[in-house]
Amino acid sequence: MDFFNDPNIALIWPELLLAVSAMVLLMIGAYGGERTNRPIAALSVAILLVAAGLVWIGPDEGLAFNNALVVDSFARLMKVLVLLGSAAGIFMSAAYSRAQHFDRFEYPILIMLAALGMMLMISANDLIALYLGLELQALTLYVVAAINRDSLRSTEAGLKYFVLGALSSGMLLYGASLIYGFTGHTNFEGIALAMADERTLGLVFGIVFMLAGIAFKISAVPFHMWTPDVYEGAPTAVTAFFSAAPKVAAMAMLIRVVYGAFEPATLEWQQILAFVSVASMGLGAFAAIGQTNIKRLMAYSSIGHMGFALVGVIAGTEAGVSGVITYLIIYLFTVLGTFAIILAMRRKDGAYEDITELSSIAKTNPMIALLMTAFMFSLAGIPPLAGFWAKWFVFLPAIQVELYWLAVIGVLASVVSAVYYLRIIKIMWFDEGEEGFVPMAAELRLVVGIAGLFVILYVLIAGPIATLAGNAARSFF
Amino acid sequence: MAAAGLFFYLFATVAVASAFMVIASRNPVHSVLFLILTFFNAAGLFMLMGAEFLALILIVVYVGAVAVLFLFVVMMLDVDFAELRSGFLQYLPIGALIGLVLLVELVLVLGANTFAVDASTVAVQPIPDLAEVSNIRAIGDVLYTKYIFFFQVAGLILFVAMIGAIVLTLSRRPGVKRQNISEQVARDPKDVKLISVKPGEGI
């Protein structure tokens, strides 16, 4: 048995790298004590980036472990995004975690393990593999939400997330068991084959329950209740991580499930997802208007954005999937940039989360104010910024398949949601300033700079990204 | 065969009844004891299916370790269960409604359809004939070969659970008195001072 030449192992080198290095780093941290905190954080960022590189150049594609895992161009692109998002999550939290006293060596290691779980979710081609990957990621996120255990709000966020997450896992498992019972397969290809023959009522129930479980993970209405509380309660650095990589992974998993396993039942899942999408867009647009805490506002904003992304999934065409992928790439960069600025909202006496506190920023740091304006315009979908193209690429496929009503509702929700994005811009530039914030940490500057360049100059790189997304979407058609 | 049917109904009835008592009994210690009874009956059901390995594992792991741990926790923690239970009746109607909806759905699903009857034939690796292979061997045949990936990922999940439990609960507080055995052993009997404490007064 040659381990290094095994065709199964050849496909999971990046995953193996993450798992083994997480264990090694844990040993270093456990024996090295507090002085290893910083080197471990730096090393884990480096390892995540190396893993992203491995995924990117890895020429191997195919099925592994009796079809339990699939590696295709879609999985590879999504894994690179998730790894970049996780690396940025650790990188951005460096100064914040020190200031809030949760800079423990376990934190970057847990995020590495979460990234591993997300990679397994993305590659899952089997109900068991999907559940195991999902649970690995979710369990890690519960712990990370409560990582600042001296803070009552952080532990409350962790507990809420855990209880509701366990409920959603239960629903997903119930659906998975029904699907297995009515098709006799756990493998996605097998399920699709069995579904093509016959779709009984029980199978539709299974689909509904599975989609409910997944909708919880992407925080789509009506399974969004945990999002604002967890976003607000968790430490801001953790919220920044939550809003980026796990959303991408869960959306990728949804695409794999509906286009892989449930492909013959397209009419059934389209109805469910259309409701979820419209409800998410609506709630994201209206509920965020009254928010004063910027983390809660971003939570509602993310609910709305998941609704927009779902429009592309519902379209059910290659252009639609490629649109969702583009949407996720743009969303990841914009949200990381925005949270880097939110993380920098600190004065000497602590961190601030109220949106009125941003009023000083235009005078004290006009460059950051300018970039924040770009991020807000992009989230609102104003051309020529990246966010406009994101929405363009998901609404256009919907119109092509004559889902006019969905596109119209989407555009209307987008207009309403512009209210609160514009309000932040108004507070920054036109309101009387308060005391300035302390200078931004170097790592946050770097993230804001990269994200800002991406958002503003998106038109220049739109071509290559569209090619990438198109290649990835072809995995399903 | 009649005896097997009789035992099935016996185990199943007792399992359901004691599972109900787990949530219905007032005393938490009784709840845990009923939980143990449920596990035993579930083990009996496994035994009837010819899965004696799973039956014994259930008893060893769940009764021997998990339920005993529950008992410890219930007895160690001073939780006011009467207070926890105070809102129970208030939420009962909505809980019962949701339960009823789920039940109706299940009945609809199972009544109108049958599960894939050929599931065992189309399955990639069907359960081998238990007359030829013992069930412990049947599990062993696939667990480390076909399902090695799932097995390893399950191990990783337990790994995360372990890290999480330590991260969230272990705290190194200064000034905590710890047992130092070598110091205790090296103690000179001459230094030991006996103080007679009067009841109710302390030192």
Side-chain angles (χ1 to χ4, degrees):
Chain A
M1 167 82 199
D2 192 355
F3 179 79
F4 290 95
N5 291 326
D6 190 87
N8 292 320
I9 301 295
L11 288 174
I12 58 160
W13 277 119
E15 283 89 346
L16 278 180
L17 172 75
L18 280 189
V20 171
S21 47
M23 291 175 208
V24 171
L25 288 182
L26 192 72
M27 283 299 124
I28 296 175
Y31 287 103
E34 291 221 334
R35 65 203 153 82
T36 55
N37 286 356
R38 281 199 199 190
I40 285 182
L43 268 176
S44 42
V45 172
I47 289 167
L48 284 169
L49 292 178
V50 169
L54 269 181
V55 176
W56 185 259
I57 58 167
D60 290 324
E61 292 187 358
L63 295 156
F65 298 105
N66 297 307
N67 299 350
L69 284 185
V70 57
V71 180
D72 50 19
S73 52
F74 174 75
R76 280 171 53 201
L77 180 62
M78 286 297 156
K79 281 180 185 176
V80 169
L81 281 184
V82 158
L83 288 167
L84 288 181
S86 306
I90 303 176
F91 189 60
M92 280 158 58
S93 66
Y96 185 88
S97 60
R98 266 199 299 285
Q100 304 290 93
H101 307 294
F102 67 91
D103 54 332
R104 313 161 56 124
F105 70 87
E106 290 98 340
Y107 176 64
I109 293 171
L110 282 171
I111 291 193
M112 273 174 82
L113 287 168
L116 174 64
M118 290 184 249
M119 289 170 77
L120 296 180
M121 274 160 73
I122 293 170
S123 268
N125 195 35
D126 185 290
L127 290 177
I128 307 175
L130 178 143
Y131 179 69
L132 287 172
L134 188 73
E135 210 54 11
L136 179 60
Q137 174 249 17
L139 194 63
T140 320
L141 296 192
Y142 306 145
V143 178
V144 170
I147 190 94
N148 192 3
R149 59 176 198 204
D150 299 326
S151 145
L152 192 65
R153 286 167 70 205
S154 172
T155 45
E156 189 194 325
L159 190 64
K160 263 184 193 162
Y161 194 19
F162 174 68
V163 173
L164 291 172
L167 184 72
S168 83
S169 289
M171 284 198 282
L172 190 121
L173 271 183
Y174 185 46
S177 71
L178 282 177
I179 287 171
Y180 175 63
F182 283 101
T183 59
H185 288 273
T186 58
N187 194 274
F188 286 178
E189 278 92 37
I191 292 171
L193 275 178
M195 270 193 192
D197 296 343
E198 183 190 15
R199 283 190 300 285
T200 55
L201 186 64
L203 209 50
V204 179
F205 268 110
I207 295 176
V208 172
F209 274 101
M210 274 206 76
L211 290 183
I214 300 175
F216 178 92
K217 300 294 171 197
I218 56 170
S219 70
V221 180
F223 305 100
H224 64 284
M225 293 81 74
W226 59 277
T227 321
D229 289 347
V230 171
Y231 271 41
E232 191 188 358
T236 311
V238 175
T239 313
F241 169 63
F242 275 14
S243 59
K247 289 283 159 62
V248 175
M251 193 57 102
M253 183 178 80
L254 175 72
I255 294 175
R256 172 89 65 205
V257 169
V258 296
Y259 285 99
F262 300 163
E263 203 271 327
T266 304
L267 278 178
E268 280 89 346
W269 61 254
Q270 265 181 340
Q271 293 170 3
I272 305 167
L273 287 186
F275 165 73
V276 169
S277 163
V278 168
S280 305
M281 290 189 291
L283 187 107
F286 285 100
I289 293 175
Q291 303 300 326
T292 52
N293 182 304
I294 189 142
K295 279 155 80 182
R296 275 189 97 81
L297 190 144
M298 288 305 289
Y300 283 108
S301 153
S302 86
I303 294 173
H305 280 283
M306 286 302 123
F308 292 127
L310 279 177
V311 173
V313 181
I314 297 163
T317 56
E318 191 180 321
V321 176
S322 129
V324 182
I325 297 167
T326 317
Y327 200 100
L328 291 175
I329 297 174
I330 292 170
Y331 176 74
L332 187 83
F333 276 92
T334 318
V335 136
L336 283 175
T338 313
F339 267 100
I341 292 177
I342 297 174
L343 277 167
M345 287 170 63
R346 314 179 52 83
R347 303 210 176 90
K348 284 202 181 65
D349 53 340
Y352 287 81
E353 292 174 1
D354 204 277
I355 52 171
T356 51
E357 306 287 341
L358 279 167
S359 54
S360 60
I361 207 162
K363 287 203 192 70
T364 53
N365 203 337
M367 193 59 207
I368 293 299
L370 201 67
L371 287 174
M372 186 70 166
T373 311
F375 293 142
M376 288 299 124
F377 273 137
S378 170
L379 286 173
I382 312 267
L385 297 167
F388 167 74
W389 297 105
K391 289 198 172 102
W392 174 265
F393 284 125
V394 292
F395 289 151
L396 201 61
I399 290 170
Q400 280 162 356
V401 294
E402 299 183 348
L403 284 168
Y404 298 115
W405 61 278
L406 198 59
V408 168
I409 293 177
V411 172
L412 286 178
S414 170
V415 171
V416 175
S417 67
V419 169
Y420 53 85
Y421 296 124
L422 290 176
R423 180 154 140 250
I424 293 180
I425 294 169
K426 175 226 160 207
I427 288 173
M428 282 195 302
W429 294 100
F430 300 110
D431 280 12
E432 276 307 306
E434 306 215 3
E435 188 193 343
F437 295 120
V438 293
M440 210 170 186
E443 67 264 13
L444 294 182
R445 279 170 202 272
L446 185 65
V447 174
V448 173
I450 293 173
L453 280 181
F454 179 88
V455 165
I456 295 169
L457 302 178
Y458 180 75
V459 267
L460 300 182
I461 48 170
I465 286 183
T467 321
L468 268 180
N471 278 338
R474 254 191 294 286
S475 311
F476 295 106
F477 295 94
Chain B
M1 240 29 241
L6 202 66
F7 273 107
F8 170 78
Y9 285 109
L10 176 73
F11 286 138
T13 319
V14 178
V16 172
S18 52
F20 179 74
M21 286 307 288
V22 173
I23 54 166
S25 67
R26 290 194 165 274
N27 188 329
V29 178
H30 291 176
S31 290
V32 179
L33 293 177
F34 274 116
L35 189 65
I36 293 175
L37 185 61
T38 316
F39 287 146
F40 264 107
N41 283 287
L45 289 175
F46 270 130
M47 202 69 104
L48 285 180
M49 288 163 65
E52 69 271 4
F53 175 67
L54 287 180
L56 293 176
I57 284 288
L58 192 72
I59 291 180
V60 170
V61 175
Y62 280 86
V63 178
V66 176
V68 171
L69 201 70
F70 275 175
L71 265 184
F72 269 117
V73 171
V74 166
M75 289 178 177
M76 299 261 291
L77 294 181
D78 183 25
V79 183
D80 189 353
F81 283 91
E83 194 190 331
L84 272 182
R85 215 175 272 276
S86 60
F88 188 67
L89 278 181
Q90 189 188 335
Y91 296 117
L92 195 63
I94 185 138
L97 186 72
I98 293 172
L100 195 71
V101 170
L102 277 178
L103 184 73
V104 169
E105 284 176 356
L106 263 183
V107 169
L108 273 178
V109 167
L110 298 183
N113 304 277
T114 46
F115 279 112
V117 274
D118 54 346
S120 56
T121 52
V122 296
V124 192
Q125 185 119 10
I127 302 169
D129 187 7
L130 287 178
E132 287 168 27
V133 194
S134 72
N135 68 84
I136 184 166
R137 185 176 172 154
I139 293 174
D141 274 344
V142 290
L143 189 59
Y144 300 103
T145 52
K146 184 169 177 319
Y147 293 127
I148 179 69
F149 170 71
F150 302 144
F151 187 72
Q152 293 288 340
V153 178
L156 272 176
I157 294 176
L158 292 178
F159 179 57
V160 169
M162 191 179 75
I163 301 175
I166 295 173
V167 167
L168 295 181
T169 55
L170 180 74
S171 57
R172 290 203 182 80
R173 271 175 300 186
V176 177
K177 291 193 173 164
R178 290 178 197 281
Q179 187 179 28
N180 187 338
I181 294 173
S182 60
E183 209 173 83
Q184 287 177 330
V185 171
R187 200 142 174 214
D188 191 348
K190 280 177 228 150
D191 300 343
V192 178
K193 199 165 52 167
L194 283 176
I195 303 171
S196 64
V197 183
K198 280 182 190 153
E201 286 184 13
I203 303 173

